[in-house]
CSV table of all heavy atoms in Angstrom, one decimal:
chain,number,residue,atom,x,y,z
V,58,MET,N,2.2,109.2,162.7
V,58,MET,CA,1.0,108.4,162.8
V,58,MET,C,0.9,107.5,161.6
V,58,MET,O,1.3,107.9,160.5
V,58,MET,CB,-0.3,109.2,162.9
V,58,MET,CG,-0.3,110.2,164.0
V,58,MET,SD,-0.7,109.3,165.6
V,58,MET,CE,-2.3,109.8,165.8
V,59,SER,N,0.4,106.3,161.8
V,59,SER,CA,0.3,105.3,160.7
V,59,SER,C,-1.1,104.7,160.8
V,59,SER,O,-1.9,104.9,161.7
V,59,SER,CB,1.3,104.1,161.0
V,59,SER,OG,2.6,104.6,160.9
V,60,LYS,N,-1.5,104.1,159.7
V,60,LYS,CA,-2.8,103.4,159.6
V,60,LYS,C,-2.6,101.9,159.8
V,60,LYS,O,-1.7,101.3,159.3
V,60,LYS,CB,-3.4,103.7,158.2
V,60,LYS,CG,-4.8,103.1,158.2
V,60,LYS,CD,-5.4,103.1,156.7
V,60,LYS,CE,-6.1,104.4,156.5
V,60,LYS,NZ,-6.8,104.4,155.2
V,61,TYR,N,-3.4,101.4,160.7
V,61,TYR,CA,-3.3,99.9,161.0
V,61,TYR,C,-4.7,99.3,160.8
V,61,TYR,O,-5.7,99.9,161.1
V,61,TYR,CB,-3.0,99.7,162.5
V,61,TYR,CG,-1.6,100.2,162.9
V,61,TYR,CD1,-1.4,101.5,163.3
V,61,TYR,CD2,-0.5,99.3,162.8
V,61,TYR,CE1,-0.1,101.9,163.7
V,61,TYR,CE2,0.8,99.7,163.1
V,61,TYR,CZ,1.0,101.0,163.6
V,61,TYR,OH,2.2,101.4,163.9
V,62,LYS,N,-4.7,98.1,160.3
V,62,LYS,CA,-5.9,97.2,160.3
V,62,LYS,C,-5.8,96.4,161.5
V,62,LYS,O,-5.0,95.5,161.7
V,62,LYS,CB,-6.0,96.4,159.0
V,62,LYS,CG,-7.2,95.5,159.0
V,62,LYS,CD,-7.5,94.8,157.7
V,62,LYS,CE,-7.9,95.7,156.6
V,62,LYS,NZ,-9.1,96.4,156.7
V,63,VAL,N,-6.8,96.6,162.5
V,63,VAL,CA,-6.8,96.0,163.8
V,63,VAL,C,-7.9,95.0,163.8
V,63,VAL,O,-9.0,95.3,163.5
V,63,VAL,CB,-6.9,97.1,164.9
V,63,VAL,CG1,-6.9,96.4,166.2
V,63,VAL,CG2,-5.8,98.1,164.8
V,64,THR,N,-7.6,93.8,164.3
V,64,THR,CA,-8.6,92.8,164.6
V,64,THR,C,-8.5,92.4,166.1
V,64,THR,O,-7.5,92.1,166.6
V,64,THR,CB,-8.4,91.6,163.7
V,64,THR,OG1,-8.5,92.0,162.3
V,64,THR,CG2,-9.5,90.5,164.0
V,65,LEU,N,-9.7,92.6,166.8
V,65,LEU,CA,-9.7,92.2,168.2
V,65,LEU,C,-10.7,91.0,168.4
V,65,LEU,O,-11.7,90.9,167.7
V,65,LEU,CB,-10.4,93.4,169.0
V,65,LEU,CG,-9.5,94.6,169.3
V,65,LEU,CD1,-10.4,95.7,169.9
V,65,LEU,CD2,-8.4,94.2,170.3
V,66,SER,N,-10.3,90.2,169.3
V,66,SER,CA,-11.2,89.1,169.8
V,66,SER,C,-12.2,89.7,170.8
V,66,SER,O,-11.8,90.4,171.7
V,66,SER,CB,-10.3,88.0,170.4
V,66,SER,OG,-11.2,87.0,170.9
V,67,VAL,N,-13.4,89.4,170.6
V,67,VAL,CA,-14.5,89.9,171.5
V,67,VAL,C,-15.5,88.8,171.8
V,67,VAL,O,-15.5,87.7,171.1
V,67,VAL,CB,-15.3,91.1,170.8
V,67,VAL,CG1,-14.3,92.3,170.6
V,67,VAL,CG2,-16.0,90.7,169.5
V,68,ALA,N,-16.3,89.0,172.7
V,68,ALA,CA,-17.4,88.1,173.0
V,68,ALA,C,-18.7,88.9,173.3
V,68,ALA,O,-18.6,90.0,173.9
V,68,ALA,CB,-17.1,87.2,174.2
V,69,VAL,N,-19.8,88.5,172.8
V,69,VAL,CA,-21.1,89.1,173.1
V,69,VAL,C,-22.0,88.0,173.6
V,69,VAL,O,-22.2,87.0,172.9
V,69,VAL,CB,-21.7,89.8,171.9
V,69,VAL,CG1,-23.0,90.4,172.2
V,69,VAL,CG2,-20.7,90.8,171.3
V,70,ASP,N,-22.6,88.2,174.8
V,70,ASP,CA,-23.4,87.2,175.4
V,70,ASP,C,-22.8,85.8,175.5
V,70,ASP,O,-23.4,84.8,175.2
V,70,ASP,CB,-24.8,87.1,174.7
V,70,ASP,CG,-25.6,88.4,174.9
V,70,ASP,OD1,-25.4,89.1,175.9
V,70,ASP,OD2,-26.4,88.7,174.0
V,71,GLY,N,-21.5,85.8,175.7
V,71,GLY,CA,-20.7,84.5,175.7
V,71,GLY,C,-20.3,83.9,174.4
V,71,GLY,O,-19.7,82.9,174.3
V,72,LEU,N,-20.8,84.5,173.3
V,72,LEU,CA,-20.4,84.0,172.0
V,72,LEU,C,-19.2,84.8,171.4
V,72,LEU,O,-19.1,86.0,171.5
V,72,LEU,CB,-21.6,84.2,171.0
V,72,LEU,CG,-22.9,83.6,171.4
V,72,LEU,CD1,-24.0,84.0,170.4
V,72,LEU,CD2,-22.7,82.0,171.4
V,73,PRO,N,-18.2,84.0,170.9
V,73,PRO,CA,-16.9,84.6,170.5
V,73,PRO,C,-17.1,85.3,169.1
V,73,PRO,O,-18.0,84.9,168.3
V,73,PRO,CB,-16.0,83.5,170.4
V,73,PRO,CG,-16.9,82.3,170.2
V,73,PRO,CD,-18.1,82.5,170.9
V,74,GLY,N,-16.3,86.3,168.9
V,74,GLY,CA,-16.3,86.9,167.6
V,74,GLY,C,-15.1,87.8,167.4
V,74,GLY,O,-14.2,87.8,168.2
V,75,MET,N,-15.1,88.5,166.3
V,75,MET,CA,-14.0,89.4,166.0
V,75,MET,C,-14.5,90.7,165.5
V,75,MET,O,-15.6,90.8,164.9
V,75,MET,CB,-13.1,88.8,164.9
V,75,MET,CG,-12.5,87.4,165.1
V,75,MET,SD,-11.4,87.4,166.5
V,75,MET,CE,-9.9,87.5,165.7
V,76,VAL,N,-13.8,91.8,165.8
V,76,VAL,CA,-14.1,93.1,165.3
V,76,VAL,C,-12.8,93.6,164.6
V,76,VAL,O,-11.7,93.5,165.1
V,76,VAL,CB,-14.4,94.1,166.5
V,76,VAL,CG1,-14.6,95.5,166.0
V,76,VAL,CG2,-15.6,93.6,167.2
V,77,THR,N,-13.1,94.1,163.4
V,77,THR,CA,-11.9,94.6,162.5
V,77,THR,C,-12.2,96.0,162.1
V,77,THR,O,-13.4,96.3,161.7
V,77,THR,CB,-11.7,93.7,161.3
V,77,THR,OG1,-11.4,92.4,161.7
V,77,THR,CG2,-10.6,94.2,160.4
V,78,ALA,N,-11.2,96.9,162.1
V,78,ALA,CA,-11.4,98.3,161.7
V,78,ALA,C,-10.0,98.9,161.3
V,78,ALA,O,-9.0,98.4,161.8
V,78,ALA,CB,-12.0,99.1,162.7
V,79,ASP,N,-10.0,99.8,160.5
V,79,ASP,CA,-8.8,100.6,160.2
V,79,ASP,C,-8.7,101.7,161.2
V,79,ASP,O,-9.7,102.4,161.4
V,79,ASP,CB,-8.8,101.2,158.8
V,79,ASP,CG,-8.8,100.1,157.7
V,79,ASP,OD1,-8.5,99.0,158.0
V,79,ASP,OD2,-9.0,100.5,156.5
V,80,VAL,N,-7.5,101.9,161.8
V,80,VAL,CA,-7.3,102.8,162.9
V,80,VAL,C,-6.0,103.6,162.6
V,80,VAL,O,-5.0,103.0,162.2
V,80,VAL,CB,-7.2,102.1,164.2
V,80,VAL,CG1,-6.9,103.1,165.4
V,80,VAL,CG2,-8.5,101.3,164.5
V,81,ILE,N,-6.0,104.9,162.8
V,81,ILE,CA,-4.8,105.7,162.7
V,81,ILE,C,-4.3,105.9,164.1
V,81,ILE,O,-5.0,106.3,165.0
V,81,ILE,CB,-5.1,107.1,162.1
V,81,ILE,CG1,-5.6,106.8,160.6
V,81,ILE,CG2,-3.9,108.0,162.1
V,81,ILE,CD1,-6.0,108.1,159.9
V,82,ALA,N,-3.0,105.5,164.3
V,82,ALA,CA,-2.3,105.6,165.6
V,82,ALA,C,-0.8,105.6,165.5
V,82,ALA,O,-0.3,105.4,164.4
V,82,ALA,CB,-2.8,104.4,166.4
V,83,SER,N,-0.2,105.8,166.6
V,83,SER,CA,1.3,105.9,166.6
V,83,SER,C,1.9,104.5,166.6
V,83,SER,O,3.0,104.3,166.1
V,83,SER,CB,1.8,106.7,167.7
V,83,SER,OG,1.4,108.0,167.6
V,84,THR,N,1.3,103.6,167.4
V,84,THR,CA,1.8,102.2,167.6
V,84,THR,C,0.7,101.2,167.4
V,84,THR,O,-0.5,101.5,167.5
V,84,THR,CB,2.4,102.1,169.0
V,84,THR,OG1,1.3,102.2,169.9
V,84,THR,CG2,3.5,103.1,169.3
V,85,PRO,N,1.1,99.9,167.2
V,85,PRO,CA,0.0,98.9,167.1
V,85,PRO,C,-0.8,98.8,168.4
V,85,PRO,O,-2.0,98.6,168.3
V,85,PRO,CB,0.8,97.6,166.9
V,85,PRO,CG,2.1,98.1,166.3
V,85,PRO,CD,2.4,99.4,166.9
V,86,GLU,N,-0.1,99.0,169.5
V,86,GLU,CA,-0.8,98.9,170.8
V,86,GLU,C,-1.8,100.0,171.0
V,86,GLU,O,-2.9,99.9,171.5
V,86,GLU,CB,0.2,98.9,172.0
V,86,GLU,CG,1.0,97.6,172.0
V,86,GLU,CD,2.2,97.7,171.0
V,86,GLU,OE1,2.5,98.7,170.5
V,86,GLU,OE2,2.8,96.6,170.8
V,87,GLN,N,-1.4,101.2,170.5
V,87,GLN,CA,-2.3,102.4,170.6
V,87,GLN,C,-3.5,102.1,169.7
V,87,GLN,O,-4.7,102.5,170.0
V,87,GLN,CB,-1.6,103.7,170.2
V,87,GLN,CG,-2.5,104.9,170.4
V,87,GLN,CD,-1.8,106.2,169.9
V,87,GLN,OE1,-1.0,106.1,169.0
V,87,GLN,NE2,-2.2,107.3,170.5
V,88,ALA,N,-3.3,101.6,168.5
V,88,ALA,CA,-4.4,101.2,167.6
V,88,ALA,C,-5.3,100.3,168.2
V,88,ALA,O,-6.5,100.4,168.1
V,88,ALA,CB,-3.8,100.7,166.3
V,89,ARG,N,-4.8,99.2,168.9
V,89,ARG,CA,-5.6,98.2,169.6
V,89,ARG,C,-6.5,98.9,170.6
V,89,ARG,O,-7.7,98.7,170.7
V,89,ARG,CB,-4.8,97.2,170.2
V,89,ARG,CG,-5.5,96.2,171.1
V,89,ARG,CD,-4.7,95.6,172.2
V,89,ARG,NE,-4.1,96.6,173.1
V,89,ARG,CZ,-3.0,96.4,173.8
V,89,ARG,NH1,-2.4,95.2,173.7
V,89,ARG,NH2,-2.5,97.3,174.6
V,90,ASP,N,-5.9,99.8,171.5
V,90,ASP,CA,-6.6,100.4,172.5
V,90,ASP,C,-7.6,101.4,172.0
V,90,ASP,O,-8.7,101.5,172.5
V,90,ASP,CB,-5.6,101.2,173.4
V,90,ASP,CG,-4.8,100.2,174.3
V,90,ASP,OD1,-5.1,99.0,174.3
V,90,ASP,OD2,-3.7,100.6,174.8
V,91,THR,N,-7.3,102.1,170.9
V,91,THR,CA,-8.3,103.0,170.3
V,91,THR,C,-9.5,102.2,169.9
V,91,THR,O,-10.7,102.7,170.1
V,91,THR,CB,-7.7,103.7,169.1
V,91,THR,OG1,-6.5,104.5,169.5
V,91,THR,CG2,-8.6,104.6,168.4
V,92,LEU,N,-9.3,101.1,169.2
V,92,LEU,CA,-10.5,100.3,168.8
V,92,LEU,C,-11.2,99.7,170.0
V,92,LEU,O,-12.5,99.7,170.1
V,92,LEU,CB,-10.1,99.2,167.8
V,92,LEU,CG,-11.2,98.3,167.3
V,92,LEU,CD1,-12.3,99.1,166.6
V,92,LEU,CD2,-10.6,97.2,166.4
V,93,ALA,N,-10.5,99.2,171.0
V,93,ALA,CA,-11.1,98.6,172.2
V,93,ALA,C,-12.0,99.6,172.9
V,93,ALA,O,-13.0,99.3,173.5
V,93,ALA,CB,-10.1,98.0,173.1
V,94,ASN,N,-11.5,100.9,172.9
V,94,ASN,CA,-12.2,101.9,173.7
V,94,ASN,C,-13.3,102.6,172.9
V,94,ASN,O,-14.0,103.4,173.4
V,94,ASN,CB,-11.2,103.0,174.1
V,94,ASN,CG,-10.2,102.5,175.2
V,94,ASN,OD1,-10.6,101.6,175.9
V,94,ASN,ND2,-9.0,103.0,175.2
V,95,ASP,N,-13.4,102.3,171.6
V,95,ASP,CA,-14.5,102.9,170.8
V,95,ASP,C,-15.8,102.5,171.3
V,95,ASP,O,-16.1,101.4,171.7
V,95,ASP,CB,-14.3,102.4,169.3
V,95,ASP,CG,-15.3,103.1,168.4
V,95,ASP,OD1,-16.5,102.9,168.5
V,95,ASP,OD2,-14.8,103.8,167.5
V,96,SER,N,-16.7,103.5,171.5
V,96,SER,CA,-18.0,103.2,172.1
V,96,SER,C,-18.8,102.2,171.3
V,96,SER,O,-19.7,101.6,171.9
V,96,SER,CB,-18.8,104.5,172.2
V,96,SER,OG,-19.1,105.1,170.9
V,97,ARG,N,-18.6,102.1,170.0
V,97,ARG,CA,-19.3,101.1,169.2
V,97,ARG,C,-18.9,99.6,169.6
V,97,ARG,O,-19.5,98.7,169.3
V,97,ARG,CB,-19.2,101.3,167.7
V,97,ARG,CG,-19.8,102.6,167.3
V,97,ARG,CD,-19.4,103.0,165.9
V,97,ARG,NE,-18.0,103.5,166.0
V,97,ARG,CZ,-17.4,104.0,165.0
V,97,ARG,NH1,-17.9,104.0,163.8
V,97,ARG,NH2,-16.1,104.4,165.2
V,98,VAL,N,-17.7,99.5,170.2
V,98,VAL,CA,-17.2,98.2,170.6
V,98,VAL,C,-17.3,98.1,172.1
V,98,VAL,O,-18.1,97.2,172.6
V,98,VAL,CB,-15.7,98.0,170.2
V,98,VAL,CG1,-15.2,96.7,170.7
V,98,VAL,CG2,-15.6,98.1,168.7
V,99,GLY,N,-16.6,98.9,172.9
V,99,GLY,CA,-16.6,98.7,174.3
V,99,GLY,C,-17.9,99.1,175.0
V,99,GLY,O,-18.2,98.7,176.1
V,100,GLY,N,-18.7,99.9,174.4
V,100,GLY,CA,-19.9,100.4,175.0
V,100,GLY,C,-21.2,99.7,174.6
V,100,GLY,O,-22.2,100.0,174.9
V,101,THR,N,-21.0,98.5,173.9
V,101,THR,CA,-22.2,97.8,173.4
V,101,THR,C,-22.3,96.4,174.0
V,101,THR,O,-23.0,95.6,173.5
V,101,THR,CB,-22.1,97.7,171.9
V,101,THR,OG1,-20.9,97.0,171.5
V,101,THR,CG2,-22.2,99.0,171.2
V,102,GLY,N,-21.7,96.2,175.1
V,102,GLY,CA,-21.8,94.9,175.8
V,102,GLY,C,-20.8,93.9,175.3
V,102,GLY,O,-20.8,92.7,175.7
V,103,PHE,N,-19.9,94.3,174.4
V,103,PHE,CA,-18.8,93.4,174.0
V,103,PHE,C,-17.8,93.3,175.1
V,103,PHE,O,-17.5,94.2,175.8
V,103,PHE,CB,-18.1,94.0,172.8
V,103,PHE,CG,-18.8,93.9,171.5
V,103,PHE,CD1,-20.2,94.1,171.3
V,103,PHE,CD2,-18.1,93.6,170.3
V,103,PHE,CE1,-20.8,94.1,170.1
V,103,PHE,CE2,-18.7,93.6,169.1
V,103,PHE,CZ,-20.1,93.8,169.0
V,104,VAL,N,-17.3,92.1,175.3
V,104,VAL,CA,-16.2,91.8,176.2
V,104,VAL,C,-15.0,91.7,175.3
V,104,VAL,O,-14.9,90.8,174.4
V,104,VAL,CB,-16.4,90.5,177.0
V,104,VAL,CG1,-15.1,90.2,177.9
V,104,VAL,CG2,-17.6,90.6,177.8
V,105,VAL,N,-14.0,92.6,175.5
V,105,VAL,CA,-12.8,92.7,174.6
V,105,VAL,C,-11.6,92.0,175.2
V,105,VAL,O,-11.3,92.3,176.4
V,105,VAL,CB,-12.5,94.2,174.3
V,105,VAL,CG1,-11.2,94.3,173.4
V,105,VAL,CG2,-13.6,94.9,173.6
V,106,ASP,N,-11.0,91.2,174.5
V,106,ASP,CA,-9.8,90.5,174.9
V,106,ASP,C,-8.6,91.2,174.3
V,106,ASP,O,-8.2,91.0,173.2
V,106,ASP,CB,-9.7,89.0,174.5
V,106,ASP,CG,-8.5,88.3,175.0
V,106,ASP,OD1,-7.6,88.9,175.6
V,106,ASP,OD2,-8.4,87.1,174.8
V,107,ARG,N,-8.0,92.2,175.0
V,107,ARG,CA,-6.9,93.0,174.5
V,107,ARG,C,-5.7,92.2,174.2
V,107,ARG,O,-4.8,92.7,173.5
V,107,ARG,CB,-6.6,94.2,175.4
V,107,ARG,CG,-7.7,95.2,175.4
V,107,ARG,CD,-7.4,96.3,176.5
V,107,ARG,NE,-8.6,97.1,176.7
V,107,ARG,CZ,-8.6,98.4,176.3
V,107,ARG,NH1,-7.6,99.0,175.8
V,107,ARG,NH2,-9.7,99.1,176.5
V,108,SER,N,-5.5,91.0,174.8
V,108,SER,CA,-4.3,90.2,174.5
V,108,SER,C,-4.4,89.5,173.2
V,108,SER,O,-3.4,89.0,172.7
V,108,SER,CB,-4.1,89.3,175.7
V,108,SER,OG,-5.1,88.3,175.8
V,109,ASP,N,-5.6,89.3,172.7
V,109,ASP,CA,-5.8,88.6,171.4
V,109,ASP,C,-6.2,89.5,170.3
V,109,ASP,O,-7.3,89.9,170.1
V,109,ASP,CB,-6.9,87.5,171.6
V,109,ASP,CG,-7.1,86.6,170.4
V,109,ASP,OD1,-6.2,86.7,169.5
V,109,ASP,OD2,-8.0,85.9,170.4
V,110,TYR,N,-5.2,90.0,169.6
V,110,TYR,CA,-5.4,91.0,168.6
V,110,TYR,C,-4.3,91.0,167.5
V,110,TYR,O,-3.2,90.4,167.8
V,110,TYR,CB,-5.5,92.5,169.1
V,110,TYR,CG,-4.1,93.1,169.5
V,110,TYR,CD1,-3.5,93.9,168.6
V,110,TYR,CD2,-3.4,92.7,170.6
V,110,TYR,CE1,-2.3,94.5,168.9
V,110,TYR,CE2,-2.2,93.2,170.9
V,110,TYR,CZ,-1.6,94.1,170.1
V,110,TYR,OH,-0.4,94.7,170.4
V,111,THR,N,-4.6,91.5,166.4
V,111,THR,CA,-3.5,91.7,165.4
V,111,THR,C,-3.6,93.2,164.9
V,111,THR,O,-4.7,93.8,164.9
V,111,THR,CB,-3.7,90.8,164.1
V,111,THR,OG1,-4.9,91.1,163.5
V,111,THR,CG2,-3.6,89.4,164.5
V,112,ALA,N,-2.5,93.8,164.6
V,112,ALA,CA,-2.5,95.1,164.1
V,112,ALA,C,-1.5,95.2,162.9
V,112,ALA,O,-0.3,95.2,163.2
V,112,ALA,CB,-2.1,96.1,165.2
V,113,GLU,N,-2.0,95.2,161.7
V,113,GLU,CA,-1.1,95.2,160.5
V,113,GLU,C,-1.1,96.6,160.0
V,113,GLU,O,-2.1,97.3,159.7
V,113,GLU,CB,-1.7,94.3,159.5
V,113,GLU,CG,-1.0,94.3,158.2
V,113,GLU,CD,-1.7,93.5,157.1
V,113,GLU,OE1,-2.7,92.8,157.4
V,113,GLU,OE2,-1.3,93.5,156.0
V,114,GLN,N,0.2,97.1,159.8
V,114,GLN,CA,0.3,98.5,159.3
V,114,GLN,C,0.0,98.5,157.8
V,114,GLN,O,0.4,97.6,157.0
V,114,GLN,CB,1.8,99.0,159.4
V,114,GLN,CG,1.9,100.4,159.2
V,114,GLN,CD,3.3,101.0,159.6
V,114,GLN,OE1,4.0,100.3,160.4
V,114,GLN,NE2,3.6,102.2,159.1
V,115,ILE,N,-0.9,99.4,157.4
V,115,ILE,CA,-1.4,99.4,156.0
V,115,ILE,C,-1.3,100.8,155.3
V,115,ILE,O,-2.1,101.1,154.5
V,115,ILE,CB,-2.9,98.9,155.9
V,115,ILE,CG1,-3.8,99.8,156.8
V,115,ILE,CG2,-3.0,97.5,156.3
V,115,ILE,CD1,-5.3,99.6,156.6
V,116,ASP,N,-0.3,101.5,155.7
V,116,ASP,CA,-0.1,102.9,155.1
V,116,ASP,C,0.0,102.7,153.6
V,116,ASP,O,0.6,101.8,153.1
V,116,ASP,CB,1.2,103.5,155.6
V,116,ASP,CG,1.0,104.1,157.0
V,116,ASP,OD1,-0.1,104.3,157.4
V,116,ASP,OD2,2.0,104.2,157.7
V,117,ASP,N,-0.7,103.7,152.9
V,117,ASP,CA,-0.7,103.7,151.5
V,117,ASP,C,0.6,104.3,151.0
V,117,ASP,O,1.1,105.2,151.4
V,117,ASP,CB,-1.9,104.5,151.0
V,117,ASP,CG,-3.2,103.9,151.4
V,117,ASP,OD1,-3.2,102.7,151.8
V,117,ASP,OD2,-4.2,104.6,151.3
């Protein structure tokens, strides 16, 4: 498992934005999905664009 800094493109009420968090995962895609599925993101009315993301490995 590695630590990734993940940034996802989201929209709330039609307004664009970004969500960034540190996520521990096996792959960048898993890190993206973990953040996208987090109830604080996916469960709050955010529309997540899973194709527009970055995942930078930041292991110490």
Side-chain angles (χ1 to χ4, degrees):
M58 300 286 254
S59 299
K60 185 188 269 187
Y61 294 92
K62 181 169 290 295
V63 181
T64 302
L65 280 173
S66 179
V67 298
V69 179
D70 294 332
L72 300 174
M75 303 296 265
V76 174
T77 301
D79 292 351
V80 178
I81 296 174
S83 297
T84 65
E86 294 79 13
Q87 183 185 32
R89 172 205 59 203
D90 291 342
T91 298
L92 180 57
N94 292 333
D95 189 294
S96 63
R97 293 167 288 183
V98 176
T101 58
F103 284 40
V104 176
V105 177
D106 181 357
R107 290 177 191 244
S108 66
D109 186 9
Y110 77 100
T111 60
E113 174 188 354
Q114 191 168 345
I115 56 170
D116 284 339
D117 297 345

